[in-house]
Every structure is written in C-alpha cells, then in structure tokens.
C-alpha cells in the first residue's frame, strides 16, 4: 500500500519537536482482510524523555460506501478535531490501562481509506500525557500525504 509514504520522518520530527530523533519507518506489509487491505508504518521516536513509538495504520476498503459502513470512528471522542480537511476524532481506547501499552490516536478518512495516527507507549512509562499527545498527532496529521494511498 505504501503506508511509509503517508508520513515523512520530518513530519514526525516536527510534531514531537526538534529535540527528538526519528528512525525511518518500518512497514508491516499488506494484510488482506477480504476486499479490505491494511498496513502499518512504525517509527521509533527517541526523545530526551525516552523512546516512544509513532504508528500510521491504513485500512483501505473496496469503496467509500464500505468505509462508511465500517464505522471508522467507533469508540472515538464525539468532538471533531479541528484543522484537518476531513472529519477526524481522537481515540483513547477504553480500558487500555490494563494492557502493556497505551495509545492516543487521531482517526481520519479520505476517499475509501481510514487512517489512524497513534503514539504508543508502555503503560508503566507514560512519557506523553493524552493532552500532550493530541497536538503532536494533529501536527503530524496536518502534514500527512493521504493521497499516497490509492
């Protein structure tokens, strides 16, 4: 799918700030879920606070109608995220404090594709609070090249 082309290393760096080092993305490879295709690009972000992971998840459907039926914003906050060209919402997964890692995510769509931009960090070492993570995700999402996924 080319998920690594959606967000550049420079975009991740600008979201987190110049004091971080961002490693090139590792792509998961495409997973076929019937007519739906999914792929993840994972970036390691090394900051003075410690290391976190930034992920871009892409899920492409056969049609825009199929995307809409999938309810891509399920579980997300009701309030819309301002400043992006398409509908977007933040997602803080319910009950994640019981898991080994936690994430704060920004969800958006374009055409027949759903995107999730997420900061993932160990539950026992939270480096970025939800309120700190949201503007980072928004800054990165603003620079994302959603048109790279066909």
């Amino acid at each position: 799918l080319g998920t690594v082309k959606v967000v550049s290393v420079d975009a991740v760096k600008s979201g987190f700030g110049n004091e971080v080092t961002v490693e090139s993305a590792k792509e998961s490879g495409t997973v076929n879920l019937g007519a739906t295709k999914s792929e993840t690009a994972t970036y390691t972000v090394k900051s003075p606070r410690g290391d976190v992971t930034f992920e871009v998840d892409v899920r492409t459907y056969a049609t825009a109608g199929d995307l809409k039926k999938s309810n891509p914003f399920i579980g997300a906050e009701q309030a819309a995220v301002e400043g992006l060209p398409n509908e977007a919402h933040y997602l803080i997964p319910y009950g994640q404090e019981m898991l080994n890692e936690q994430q704060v995510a920004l969800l958006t769509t374009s055409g027949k594709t759903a995107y999730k931009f997420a900061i993932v960090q160990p539950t026992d070492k939270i480096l970025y609070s939800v309120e700190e993570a949201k503007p980072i995700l928004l800054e990165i999402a603003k620079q994302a090249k959603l048109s790279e996924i066909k």
Side-chain angles (χ1 to χ4, degrees), residues 6-8 10-12 14-15 84 138-145:
V6 173
V7 173
S8 69
D10 287 342
V12 176
S14 78
L84 293 172
L138 179 58
E139 178 61 30
I140 296 169
K142 283 179 179 178
Q143 297 180 55
K145 298 181 184 94

Side-chain angles (χ1 to χ4, degrees), residues 106-119:
L106 186 153
L107 309 176
T108 192
T109 62
S110 179
K112 59 182 185 172
T113 304
Y115 298 85
K116 179 174 87 171
F117 304 97
I119 295 172

Side-chain angles (χ1 to χ4, degrees), residues 3-59:
T3 303
V4 294
K5 296 179 193 162
V6 173
V7 173
S8 69
V9 166
D10 287 342
V12 176
K13 191 173 173 107
S14 78
F16 279 89
N18 288 329
E19 70 282 356
V20 304
T21 304
V22 180
E23 295 180 1
S24 294
K26 293 175 181 59
E27 203 165 63
S28 66
T30 303
V31 176
N32 293 309
L33 310 162
T36 305
K37 294 181 180 358
S38 180
E39 192 170 74
T40 303
T42 304
Y43 303 74
T44 298
V45 179
K46 297 177 179 290
S47 80
R49 299 182 187 194
D51 296 358
V52 295
T53 301
F54 173 75
E55 294 178 349
V56 179
D57 285 320
V58 171
R59 188 166 281 195

Side-chain angles (χ1 to χ4, degrees), residues 111-127:
K112 59 182 185 172
T113 304
Y115 298 85
K116 179 174 87 171
F117 304 97
I119 295 172
V120 182
Q121 46 197 338
T123 297
D124 61 0
K125 193 175 179 189
I126 299 295
L127 303 176

Side-chain angles (χ1 to χ4, degrees), residues 1 11 17-18 28 37 64 89-90 92 129 134-135 142:
L1 293 176
N18 288 329
S28 66
K37 294 181 180 358
H89 298 271
Y90 290 111
I92 293 88
S129 70
K134 286 179 175 181
K142 283 179 179 178

